[in-house]
PDB file of all heavy atoms in Angstrom:
ATOM      1  N   GLU B1160      -7.745  -3.502  -9.044  1.00 95.00           N
ATOM      2  CA  GLU B1160      -8.643  -4.550  -8.586  1.00 95.00           C
ATOM      3  C   GLU B1160      -9.915  -3.900  -8.050  1.00 95.00           C
ATOM      4  O   GLU B1160      -9.918  -2.718  -7.683  1.00 95.00           O
ATOM      5  CB  GLU B1160      -7.950  -5.403  -7.535  1.00 95.00           C
ATOM      6  CG  GLU B1160      -6.733  -6.122  -8.112  1.00 95.00           C
ATOM      7  CD  GLU B1160      -5.976  -6.937  -7.068  1.00 95.00           C
ATOM      8  OE1 GLU B1160      -6.620  -7.597  -6.228  1.00 95.00           O
ATOM      9  OE2 GLU B1160      -4.743  -6.923  -7.102  1.00 95.00           O
ATOM     10  N   LEU B1161     -10.971  -4.680  -8.020  1.00 91.00           N
ATOM     11  CA  LEU B1161     -12.283  -4.150  -7.658  1.00 91.00           C
ATOM     12  C   LEU B1161     -12.252  -3.450  -6.301  1.00 91.00           C
ATOM     13  O   LEU B1161     -11.816  -4.038  -5.302  1.00 91.00           O
ATOM     14  CB  LEU B1161     -13.302  -5.292  -7.644  1.00 91.00           C
ATOM     15  CG  LEU B1161     -14.771  -4.865  -7.530  1.00 91.00           C
ATOM     16  CD1 LEU B1161     -15.167  -4.034  -8.747  1.00 91.00           C
ATOM     17  CD2 LEU B1161     -15.658  -6.095  -7.406  1.00 91.00           C
ATOM     18  N   GLY B1162     -12.659  -2.197  -6.286  1.00 87.00           N
ATOM     19  CA  GLY B1162     -12.733  -1.434  -5.052  1.00 87.00           C
ATOM     20  C   GLY B1162     -11.392  -0.949  -4.516  1.00 87.00           C
ATOM     21  O   GLY B1162     -11.318  -0.445  -3.396  1.00 87.00           O
ATOM     22  N   LYS B1163     -10.344  -1.096  -5.332  1.00 91.00           N
ATOM     23  CA  LYS B1163      -9.016  -0.693  -4.854  1.00 91.00           C
ATOM     24  C   LYS B1163      -8.423   0.412  -5.724  1.00 91.00           C
ATOM     25  O   LYS B1163      -8.961   0.762  -6.767  1.00 91.00           O
ATOM     26  CB  LYS B1163      -8.088  -1.904  -4.820  1.00 91.00           C
ATOM     27  CG  LYS B1163      -8.560  -2.986  -3.856  1.00 91.00           C
ATOM     28  CD  LYS B1163      -7.436  -3.893  -3.420  1.00 91.00           C
ATOM     29  CE  LYS B1163      -7.895  -4.813  -2.301  1.00 91.00           C
ATOM     30  NZ  LYS B1163      -6.833  -5.739  -1.878  1.00 91.00           N
ATOM     31  N   ARG B1164      -7.309   0.938  -5.281  1.00 93.00           N
ATOM     32  CA  ARG B1164      -6.653   2.022  -6.004  1.00 93.00           C
ATOM     33  C   ARG B1164      -5.873   1.476  -7.192  1.00 93.00           C
ATOM     34  O   ARG B1164      -5.427   0.327  -7.162  1.00 93.00           O
ATOM     35  CB  ARG B1164      -5.708   2.770  -5.056  1.00 93.00           C
ATOM     36  CG  ARG B1164      -4.486   1.980  -4.653  1.00 93.00           C
ATOM     37  CD  ARG B1164      -3.702   2.657  -3.530  1.00 93.00           C
ATOM     38  NE  ARG B1164      -4.304   2.430  -2.229  1.00 93.00           N
ATOM     39  CZ  ARG B1164      -3.978   3.108  -1.128  1.00 93.00           C
ATOM     40  NH1 ARG B1164      -3.080   4.056  -1.195  1.00 93.00           N
ATOM     41  NH2 ARG B1164      -4.548   2.836   0.020  1.00 93.00           N
ATOM     42  N   PRO B1165      -5.663   2.287  -8.241  1.00 94.00           N
ATOM     43  CA  PRO B1165      -4.793   1.859  -9.346  1.00 94.00           C
ATOM     44  C   PRO B1165      -3.361   1.705  -8.840  1.00 94.00           C
ATOM     45  O   PRO B1165      -2.879   2.524  -8.060  1.00 94.00           O
ATOM     46  CB  PRO B1165      -4.902   3.008 -10.352  1.00 94.00           C
ATOM     47  CG  PRO B1165      -6.132   3.767  -9.970  1.00 94.00           C
ATOM     48  CD  PRO B1165      -6.256   3.621  -8.487  1.00 94.00           C
ATOM     49  N   GLN B1166      -2.699   0.655  -9.316  1.00 94.00           N
ATOM     50  CA  GLN B1166      -1.308   0.433  -8.934  1.00 94.00           C
ATOM     51  C   GLN B1166      -0.464   0.265 -10.186  1.00 94.00           C
ATOM     52  O   GLN B1166      -0.826  -0.489 -11.095  1.00 94.00           O
ATOM     53  CB  GLN B1166      -1.189  -0.803  -8.031  1.00 94.00           C
ATOM     54  CG  GLN B1166      -1.810  -0.587  -6.656  1.00 94.00           C
ATOM     55  CD  GLN B1166      -1.357  -1.615  -5.642  1.00 94.00           C
ATOM     56  OE1 GLN B1166      -1.595  -2.795  -5.849  1.00 94.00           O
ATOM     57  NE2 GLN B1166      -0.714  -1.187  -4.566  1.00 94.00           N
ATOM     58  N   LEU B1167       0.660   0.958 -10.215  1.00 94.00           N
ATOM     59  CA  LEU B1167       1.567   0.884 -11.350  1.00 94.00           C
ATOM     60  C   LEU B1167       2.185  -0.514 -11.428  1.00 94.00           C
ATOM     61  O   LEU B1167       2.704  -1.029 -10.440  1.00 94.00           O
ATOM     62  CB  LEU B1167       2.670   1.924 -11.194  1.00 94.00           C
ATOM     63  CG  LEU B1167       3.701   1.999 -12.321  1.00 94.00           C
ATOM     64  CD1 LEU B1167       3.070   2.600 -13.571  1.00 94.00           C
ATOM     65  CD2 LEU B1167       4.910   2.817 -11.891  1.00 94.00           C
ATOM     66  N   ILE B1168       2.110  -1.118 -12.609  1.00 96.00           N
ATOM     67  CA  ILE B1168       2.723  -2.440 -12.761  1.00 96.00           C
ATOM     68  C   ILE B1168       3.955  -2.396 -13.658  1.00 96.00           C
ATOM     69  O   ILE B1168       4.879  -3.192 -13.493  1.00 96.00           O
ATOM     70  CB  ILE B1168       1.723  -3.484 -13.303  1.00 96.00           C
ATOM     71  CG1 ILE B1168       1.080  -3.029 -14.623  1.00 96.00           C
ATOM     72  CG2 ILE B1168       0.655  -3.789 -12.250  1.00 96.00           C
ATOM     73  CD1 ILE B1168       0.248  -4.115 -15.288  1.00 96.00           C
ATOM     74  N   ILE B1169       3.985  -1.478 -14.602  1.00 96.00           N
ATOM     75  CA  ILE B1169       5.151  -1.325 -15.464  1.00 96.00           C
ATOM     76  C   ILE B1169       5.002  -0.009 -16.226  1.00 96.00           C
ATOM     77  O   ILE B1169       3.873   0.473 -16.420  1.00 96.00           O
ATOM     78  CB  ILE B1169       5.292  -2.520 -16.446  1.00 96.00           C
ATOM     79  CG1 ILE B1169       6.682  -2.557 -17.076  1.00 96.00           C
ATOM     80  CG2 ILE B1169       4.205  -2.493 -17.504  1.00 96.00           C
ATOM     81  CD1 ILE B1169       7.002  -3.866 -17.796  1.00 96.00           C
ATOM     82  N   ASP B1170       6.107   0.579 -16.600  1.00 94.00           N
ATOM     83  CA  ASP B1170       6.059   1.804 -17.396  1.00 94.00           C
ATOM     84  C   ASP B1170       7.213   1.806 -18.389  1.00 94.00           C
ATOM     85  O   ASP B1170       8.177   1.045 -18.247  1.00 94.00           O
ATOM     86  CB  ASP B1170       6.084   3.048 -16.515  1.00 94.00           C
ATOM     87  CG  ASP B1170       7.282   3.101 -15.578  1.00 94.00           C
ATOM     88  OD1 ASP B1170       8.203   2.259 -15.700  1.00 94.00           O
ATOM     89  OD2 ASP B1170       7.292   3.976 -14.694  1.00 94.00           O
ATOM     90  N   ILE B1171       7.089   2.658 -19.388  1.00 94.00           N
ATOM     91  CA  ILE B1171       8.133   2.736 -20.407  1.00 94.00           C
ATOM     92  C   ILE B1171       8.254   4.184 -20.865  1.00 94.00           C
ATOM     93  O   ILE B1171       7.252   4.918 -20.913  1.00 94.00           O
ATOM     94  CB  ILE B1171       7.820   1.785 -21.597  1.00 94.00           C
ATOM     95  CG1 ILE B1171       9.028   1.640 -22.525  1.00 94.00           C
ATOM     96  CG2 ILE B1171       6.589   2.257 -22.367  1.00 94.00           C
ATOM     97  CD1 ILE B1171       8.885   0.511 -23.531  1.00 94.00           C
ATOM     98  N   ARG B1172       9.457   4.582 -21.164  1.00 91.00           N
ATOM     99  CA  ARG B1172       9.690   5.927 -21.683  1.00 91.00           C
ATOM    100  C   ARG B1172       9.968   5.843 -23.174  1.00 91.00           C
ATOM    101  O   ARG B1172      10.337   4.797 -23.688  1.00 91.00           O
ATOM    102  CB  ARG B1172      10.839   6.583 -20.946  1.00 91.00           C
ATOM    103  CG  ARG B1172      10.527   6.705 -19.476  1.00 91.00           C
ATOM    104  CD  ARG B1172      11.318   7.760 -18.771  1.00 91.00           C
ATOM    105  NE  ARG B1172      10.862   7.887 -17.385  1.00 91.00           N
ATOM    106  CZ  ARG B1172      10.987   8.983 -16.675  1.00 91.00           C
ATOM    107  NH1 ARG B1172      11.532  10.053 -17.212  1.00 91.00           N
ATOM    108  NH2 ARG B1172      10.552   9.032 -15.436  1.00 91.00           N
ATOM    109  N   SER B1173       9.859   6.972 -23.838  1.00 87.00           N
ATOM    110  CA  SER B1173       9.876   6.956 -25.308  1.00 87.00           C
ATOM    111  C   SER B1173      11.239   6.654 -25.890  1.00 87.00           C
ATOM    112  O   SER B1173      11.358   6.408 -27.096  1.00 87.00           O
ATOM    113  CB  SER B1173       9.363   8.287 -25.861  1.00 87.00           C
ATOM    114  OG  SER B1173      10.145   9.356 -25.377  1.00 87.00           O
ATOM    115  N   ASN B1174      12.278   6.639 -25.059  1.00 86.00           N
ATOM    116  CA  ASN B1174      13.596   6.323 -25.590  1.00 86.00           C
ATOM    117  C   ASN B1174      13.894   4.821 -25.547  1.00 86.00           C
ATOM    118  O   ASN B1174      15.005   4.386 -25.855  1.00 86.00           O
ATOM    119  CB  ASN B1174      14.678   7.088 -24.825  1.00 86.00           C
ATOM    120  CG  ASN B1174      14.662   6.788 -23.326  1.00 86.00           C
ATOM    121  OD1 ASN B1174      13.725   6.182 -22.824  1.00 86.00           O
ATOM    122  ND2 ASN B1174      15.696   7.228 -22.631  1.00 86.00           N
ATOM    123  N   VAL B1175      12.876   4.041 -25.172  1.00 85.00           N
ATOM    124  CA  VAL B1175      13.016   2.589 -25.063  1.00 85.00           C
ATOM    125  C   VAL B1175      11.894   1.931 -25.852  1.00 85.00           C
ATOM    126  O   VAL B1175      10.759   2.405 -25.837  1.00 85.00           O
ATOM    127  CB  VAL B1175      12.943   2.143 -23.583  1.00 85.00           C
ATOM    128  CG1 VAL B1175      12.990   0.631 -23.465  1.00 85.00           C
ATOM    129  CG2 VAL B1175      14.076   2.786 -22.791  1.00 85.00           C
ATOM    130  N   GLY B1176      12.206   0.839 -26.549  1.00 91.00           N
ATOM    131  CA  GLY B1176      11.191   0.179 -27.351  1.00 91.00           C
ATOM    132  C   GLY B1176      10.469  -0.948 -26.652  1.00 91.00           C
ATOM    133  O   GLY B1176       9.349  -1.300 -27.006  1.00 91.00           O
ATOM    134  N   GLU B1177      11.136  -1.507 -25.632  1.00 95.00           N
ATOM    135  CA  GLU B1177      10.548  -2.653 -24.950  1.00 95.00           C
ATOM    136  C   GLU B1177      11.100  -2.707 -23.530  1.00 95.00           C
ATOM    137  O   GLU B1177      12.252  -2.364 -23.282  1.00 95.00           O
ATOM    138  CB  GLU B1177      10.869  -3.945 -25.694  1.00 95.00           C
ATOM    139  CG  GLU B1177      10.208  -5.181 -25.101  1.00 95.00           C
ATOM    140  CD  GLU B1177      10.424  -6.442 -25.960  1.00 95.00           C
ATOM    141  OE1 GLU B1177      11.038  -6.321 -27.044  1.00 95.00           O
ATOM    142  OE2 GLU B1177       9.967  -7.515 -25.543  1.00 95.00           O
ATOM    143  N   LYS B1178      10.268  -3.175 -22.611  1.00 94.00           N
ATOM    144  CA  LYS B1178      10.695  -3.339 -21.225  1.00 94.00           C
ATOM    145  C   LYS B1178       9.980  -4.549 -20.662  1.00 94.00           C
ATOM    146  O   LYS B1178       8.794  -4.765 -20.933  1.00 94.00           O
ATOM    147  CB  LYS B1178      10.347  -2.083 -20.423  1.00 94.00           C
ATOM    148  CG  LYS B1178      10.828  -2.080 -18.991  1.00 94.00           C
ATOM    149  CD  LYS B1178      10.497  -0.738 -18.345  1.00 94.00           C
ATOM    150  CE  LYS B1178      10.896  -0.691 -16.893  1.00 94.00           C
ATOM    151  NZ  LYS B1178      10.520   0.612 -16.276  1.00 94.00           N
ATOM    152  N   LYS B1179      10.710  -5.331 -19.872  1.00 96.00           N
ATOM    153  CA  LYS B1179      10.139  -6.559 -19.333  1.00 96.00           C
ATOM    154  C   LYS B1179      10.385  -6.638 -17.841  1.00 96.00           C
ATOM    155  O   LYS B1179      11.439  -6.245 -17.343  1.00 96.00           O
ATOM    156  CB  LYS B1179      10.771  -7.761 -20.047  1.00 96.00           C
ATOM    157  CG  LYS B1179      10.083  -9.078 -19.752  1.00 96.00           C
ATOM    158  CD  LYS B1179      10.651 -10.194 -20.611  1.00 96.00           C
ATOM    159  CE  LYS B1179       9.923 -11.518 -20.337  1.00 96.00           C
ATOM    160  NZ  LYS B1179      10.460 -12.632 -21.143  1.00 96.00           N
ATOM    161  N   ASP B1180       9.402  -7.169 -17.126  1.00 94.00           N
ATOM    162  CA  ASP B1180       9.528  -7.383 -15.694  1.00 94.00           C
ATOM    163  C   ASP B1180       8.817  -8.691 -15.375  1.00 94.00           C
ATOM    164  O   ASP B1180       7.602  -8.731 -15.236  1.00 94.00           O
ATOM    165  CB  ASP B1180       8.905  -6.220 -14.913  1.00 94.00           C
ATOM    166  CG  ASP B1180       9.074  -6.369 -13.407  1.00 94.00           C
ATOM    167  OD1 ASP B1180       9.707  -7.345 -12.958  1.00 94.00           O
ATOM    168  OD2 ASP B1180       8.561  -5.503 -12.668  1.00 94.00           O
ATOM    169  N   GLN B1181       9.572  -9.751 -15.289  1.00 96.00           N
ATOM    170  CA  GLN B1181       9.064 -11.100 -15.021  1.00 96.00           C
ATOM    171  C   GLN B1181       8.024 -11.476 -16.076  1.00 96.00           C
ATOM    172  O   GLN B1181       8.370 -11.593 -17.254  1.00 96.00           O
ATOM    173  CB  GLN B1181       8.527 -11.177 -13.594  1.00 96.00           C
ATOM    174  CG  GLN B1181       9.610 -10.885 -12.549  1.00 96.00           C
ATOM    175  CD  GLN B1181       9.122 -11.020 -11.120  1.00 96.00           C
ATOM    176  OE1 GLN B1181       7.932 -11.056 -10.828  1.00 96.00           O
ATOM    177  NE2 GLN B1181      10.067 -11.114 -10.195  1.00 96.00           N
ATOM    178  N   ARG B1182       6.768 -11.654 -15.698  1.00 97.00           N
ATOM    179  CA  ARG B1182       5.757 -12.106 -16.673  1.00 97.00           C
ATOM    180  C   ARG B1182       5.117 -10.960 -17.462  1.00 97.00           C
ATOM    181  O   ARG B1182       4.262 -11.176 -18.312  1.00 97.00           O
ATOM    182  CB  ARG B1182       4.645 -12.871 -15.943  1.00 97.00           C
ATOM    183  CG  ARG B1182       5.104 -14.139 -15.249  1.00 97.00           C
ATOM    184  CD  ARG B1182       3.913 -14.924 -14.696  1.00 97.00           C
ATOM    185  NE  ARG B1182       3.209 -14.179 -13.650  1.00 97.00           N
ATOM    186  CZ  ARG B1182       1.989 -13.666 -13.800  1.00 97.00           C
ATOM    187  NH1 ARG B1182       1.334 -13.762 -14.959  1.00 97.00           N
ATOM    188  NH2 ARG B1182       1.410 -13.020 -12.798  1.00 97.00           N
ATOM    189  N   ILE B1183       5.522  -9.749 -17.168  1.00 98.00           N
ATOM    190  CA  ILE B1183       4.901  -8.583 -17.789  1.00 98.00           C
ATOM    191  C   ILE B1183       5.903  -7.884 -18.705  1.00 98.00           C
ATOM    192  O   ILE B1183       7.072  -7.720 -18.327  1.00 98.00           O
ATOM    193  CB  ILE B1183       4.403  -7.606 -16.711  1.00 98.00           C
ATOM    194  CG1 ILE B1183       3.283  -8.259 -15.892  1.00 98.00           C
ATOM    195  CG2 ILE B1183       3.919  -6.303 -17.326  1.00 98.00           C
ATOM    196  CD1 ILE B1183       2.852  -7.441 -14.707  1.00 98.00           C
ATOM    197  N   ALA B1184       5.442  -7.467 -19.867  1.00 98.00           N
ATOM    198  CA  ALA B1184       6.288  -6.717 -20.791  1.00 98.00           C
ATOM    199  C   ALA B1184       5.454  -5.637 -21.462  1.00 98.00           C
ATOM    200  O   ALA B1184       4.232  -5.779 -21.613  1.00 98.00           O
ATOM    201  CB  ALA B1184       6.894  -7.640 -21.847  1.00 98.00           C
ATOM    202  N   VAL B1185       6.110  -4.571 -21.827  1.00 98.00           N
ATOM    203  CA  VAL B1185       5.455  -3.499 -22.568  1.00 98.00           C
ATOM    204  C   VAL B1185       6.310  -3.177 -23.791  1.00 98.00           C
ATOM    205  O   VAL B1185       7.534  -3.174 -23.716  1.00 98.00           O
ATOM    206  CB  VAL B1185       5.233  -2.252 -21.687  1.00 98.00           C
ATOM    207  CG1 VAL B1185       6.541  -1.742 -21.113  1.00 98.00           C
ATOM    208  CG2 VAL B1185       4.504  -1.172 -22.444  1.00 98.00           C
ATOM    209  N   THR B1186       5.656  -2.960 -24.922  1.00 97.00           N
ATOM    210  CA  THR B1186       6.337  -2.553 -26.142  1.00 97.00           C
ATOM    211  C   THR B1186       5.793  -1.207 -26.592  1.00 97.00           C
ATOM    212  O   THR B1186       4.623  -0.885 -26.354  1.00 97.00           O
ATOM    213  CB  THR B1186       6.128  -3.587 -27.263  1.00 97.00           C
ATOM    214  OG1 THR B1186       4.728  -3.748 -27.505  1.00 97.00           O
ATOM    215  CG2 THR B1186       6.725  -4.935 -26.872  1.00 97.00           C
ATOM    216  N   LEU B1187       6.631  -0.424 -27.213  1.00 96.00           N
ATOM    217  CA  LEU B1187       6.256   0.911 -27.665  1.00 96.00           C
ATOM    218  C   LEU B1187       6.700   1.108 -29.108  1.00 96.00           C
ATOM    219  O   LEU B1187       7.860   0.860 -29.448  1.00 96.00           O
ATOM    220  CB  LEU B1187       6.906   1.971 -26.766  1.00 96.00           C
ATOM    221  CG  LEU B1187       6.798   3.430 -27.219  1.00 96.00           C
ATOM    222  CD1 LEU B1187       5.346   3.888 -27.200  1.00 96.00           C
ATOM    223  CD2 LEU B1187       7.668   4.322 -26.346  1.00 96.00           C
ATOM    224  N   ASN B1188       5.780   1.571 -29.936  1.00 95.00           N
ATOM    225  CA  ASN B1188       6.096   1.934 -31.316  1.00 95.00           C
ATOM    226  C   ASN B1188       5.780   3.414 -31.468  1.00 95.00           C
ATOM    227  O   ASN B1188       4.626   3.809 -31.637  1.00 95.00           O
ATOM    228  CB  ASN B1188       5.256   1.083 -32.286  1.00 95.00           C
ATOM    229  CG  ASN B1188       5.587   1.373 -33.744  1.00 95.00           C
ATOM    230  OD1 ASN B1188       5.916   2.503 -34.111  1.00 95.00           O
ATOM    231  ND2 ASN B1188       5.506   0.353 -34.580  1.00 95.00           N
ATOM    232  N   LYS B1189       6.824   4.247 -31.393  1.00 94.00           N
ATOM    233  CA  LYS B1189       6.616   5.698 -31.435  1.00 94.00           C
ATOM    234  C   LYS B1189       6.098   6.167 -32.782  1.00 94.00           C
ATOM    235  O   LYS B1189       5.312   7.109 -32.880  1.00 94.00           O
ATOM    236  CB  LYS B1189       7.920   6.429 -31.104  1.00 94.00           C
ATOM    237  CG  LYS B1189       8.288   6.399 -29.651  1.00 94.00           C
ATOM    238  CD  LYS B1189       9.432   7.347 -29.364  1.00 94.00           C
ATOM    239  CE  LYS B1189      10.675   6.984 -30.151  1.00 94.00           C
ATOM    240  NZ  LYS B1189      11.803   7.900 -29.867  1.00 94.00           N
ATOM    241  N   THR B1190       6.547   5.524 -33.838  1.00 94.00           N
ATOM    242  CA  THR B1190       6.141   5.941 -35.179  1.00 94.00           C
ATOM    243  C   THR B1190       4.637   5.756 -35.366  1.00 94.00           C
ATOM    244  O   THR B1190       3.949   6.638 -35.874  1.00 94.00           O
ATOM    245  CB  THR B1190       6.904   5.126 -36.244  1.00 94.00           C
ATOM    246  OG1 THR B1190       8.293   5.282 -36.015  1.00 94.00           O
ATOM    247  CG2 THR B1190       6.531   5.588 -37.637  1.00 94.00           C
ATOM    248  N   ALA B1191       4.148   4.607 -34.938  1.00 95.00           N
ATOM    249  CA  ALA B1191       2.725   4.302 -35.066  1.00 95.00           C
ATOM    250  C   ALA B1191       1.923   4.847 -33.893  1.00 95.00           C
ATOM    251  O   ALA B1191       0.683   4.802 -33.909  1.00 95.00           O
ATOM    252  CB  ALA B1191       2.523   2.799 -35.183  1.00 95.00           C
ATOM    253  N   LYS B1192       2.588   5.338 -32.878  1.00 96.00           N
ATOM    254  CA  LYS B1192       1.947   5.862 -31.664  1.00 96.00           C
ATOM    255  C   LYS B1192       1.053   4.813 -31.025  1.00 96.00           C
ATOM    256  O   LYS B1192      -0.126   5.074 -30.728  1.00 96.00           O
ATOM    257  CB  LYS B1192       1.206   7.170 -31.965  1.00 96.00           C
ATOM    258  CG  LYS B1192       2.161   8.329 -32.240  1.00 96.00           C
ATOM    259  CD  LYS B1192       1.465   9.675 -32.270  1.00 96.00           C
ATOM    260  CE  LYS B1192       0.814   9.886 -33.601  1.00 96.00           C
ATOM    261  NZ  LYS B1192       0.284  11.239 -33.793  1.00 96.00           N
ATOM    262  N   HIS B1193       1.619   3.642 -30.809  1.00 95.00           N
ATOM    263  CA  HIS B1193       0.884   2.659 -30.027  1.00 95.00           C
ATOM    264  C   HIS B1193       1.824   1.873 -29.133  1.00 95.00           C
ATOM    265  O   HIS B1193       3.024   1.773 -29.380  1.00 95.00           O
ATOM    266  CB  HIS B1193      -0.012   1.762 -30.900  1.00 95.00           C
ATOM    267  CG  HIS B1193       0.696   0.851 -31.836  1.00 95.00           C
ATOM    268  ND1 HIS B1193       1.445  -0.247 -31.442  1.00 95.00           N
ATOM    269  CD2 HIS B1193       0.727   0.835 -33.179  1.00 95.00           C
ATOM    270  CE1 HIS B1193       1.907  -0.876 -32.495  1.00 95.00           C
ATOM    271  NE2 HIS B1193       1.490  -0.247 -33.558  1.00 95.00           N
ATOM    272  N   PHE B1194       1.247   1.378 -28.051  1.00 97.00           N
ATOM    273  CA  PHE B1194       1.998   0.596 -27.078  1.00 97.00           C
ATOM    274  C   PHE B1194       1.110  -0.508 -26.543  1.00 97.00           C
ATOM    275  O   PHE B1194      -0.111  -0.396 -26.574  1.00 97.00           O
ATOM    276  CB  PHE B1194       2.578   1.479 -25.960  1.00 97.00           C
ATOM    277  CG  PHE B1194       1.580   2.313 -25.198  1.00 97.00           C
ATOM    278  CD1 PHE B1194       1.328   2.063 -23.861  1.00 97.00           C
ATOM    279  CD2 PHE B1194       0.932   3.394 -25.801  1.00 97.00           C
ATOM    280  CE1 PHE B1194       0.444   2.847 -23.145  1.00 97.00           C
ATOM    281  CE2 PHE B1194       0.037   4.171 -25.087  1.00 97.00           C
ATOM    282  CZ  PHE B1194      -0.205   3.901 -23.753  1.00 97.00           C
ATOM    283  N   SER B1195       1.751  -1.582 -26.123  1.00 98.00           N
ATOM    284  CA  SER B1195       1.005  -2.783 -25.745  1.00 98.00           C
ATOM    285  C   SER B1195       1.540  -3.378 -24.456  1.00 98.00           C
ATOM    286  O   SER B1195       2.732  -3.272 -24.157  1.00 98.00           O
ATOM    287  CB  SER B1195       1.107  -3.843 -26.846  1.00 98.00           C
ATOM    288  OG  SER B1195       0.591  -3.370 -28.068  1.00 98.00           O
ATOM    289  N   LEU B1196       0.628  -4.010 -23.716  1.00 98.00           N
ATOM    290  CA  LEU B1196       0.978  -4.747 -22.496  1.00 98.00           C
ATOM    291  C   LEU B1196       0.838  -6.229 -22.794  1.00 98.00           C
ATOM    292  O   LEU B1196      -0.176  -6.668 -23.344  1.00 98.00           O
ATOM    293  CB  LEU B1196       0.036  -4.358 -21.355  1.00 98.00           C
ATOM    294  CG  LEU B1196       0.238  -5.099 -20.039  1.00 98.00           C
ATOM    295  CD1 LEU B1196       1.541  -4.671 -19.367  1.00 98.00           C
ATOM    296  CD2 LEU B1196      -0.941  -4.867 -19.099  1.00 98.00           C
ATOM    297  N   HIS B1197       1.861  -6.989 -22.433  1.00 98.00           N
ATOM    298  CA  HIS B1197       1.853  -8.430 -22.642  1.00 98.00           C
ATOM    299  C   HIS B1197       2.013  -9.108 -21.285  1.00 98.00           C
ATOM    300  O   HIS B1197       2.974  -8.814 -20.557  1.00 98.00           O
ATOM    301  CB  HIS B1197       3.008  -8.851 -23.550  1.00 98.00           C
ATOM    302  CG  HIS B1197       3.040  -8.152 -24.859  1.00 98.00           C
ATOM    303  ND1 HIS B1197       2.705  -8.769 -26.062  1.00 98.00           N
ATOM    304  CD2 HIS B1197       3.356  -6.876 -25.196  1.00 98.00           C
ATOM    305  CE1 HIS B1197       2.824  -7.907 -27.051  1.00 98.00           C
ATOM    306  NE2 HIS B1197       3.207  -6.744 -26.558  1.00 98.00           N
ATOM    307  N   ILE B1198       1.081  -9.986 -20.963  1.00 98.00           N
ATOM    308  CA  ILE B1198       1.183 -10.780 -19.742  1.00 98.00           C
ATOM    309  C   ILE B1198       1.271 -12.243 -20.151  1.00 98.00           C
ATOM    310  O   ILE B1198       0.386 -12.763 -20.842  1.00 98.00           O
ATOM    311  CB  ILE B1198      -0.042 -10.581 -18.821  1.00 98.00           C
ATOM    312  CG1 ILE B1198      -0.259  -9.096 -18.509  1.00 98.00           C
ATOM    313  CG2 ILE B1198       0.151 -11.369 -17.514  1.00 98.00           C
ATOM    314  CD1 ILE B1198      -1.527  -8.815 -17.720  1.00 98.00           C
TER     315      ILE B1198
END
Side-chain angles (χ1 to χ4, degrees):
Chain B
E1160 297 177 41
L1161 191 63
K1163 298 202 171 178
R1164 70 190 79 193
Q1166 291 197 300
L1167 181 71
I1168 55 172
I1169 195 167
D1170 56 9
I1171 192 168
R1172 299 202 175 206
S1173 58
N1174 58 348
V1175 176
E1177 184 174 357
K1178 184 176 177 182
K1179 190 173 182 181
D1180 183 2
Q1181 299 183 344
R1182 297 187 296 110
I1183 295 173
V1185 57
T1186 58
L1187 171 65
N1188 183 327
K1189 285 191 300 181
T1190 304
K1192 289 191 279 188
H1193 66 69
F1194 56 113
S1195 300
L1196 177 70
H1197 305 253
I1198 305 174

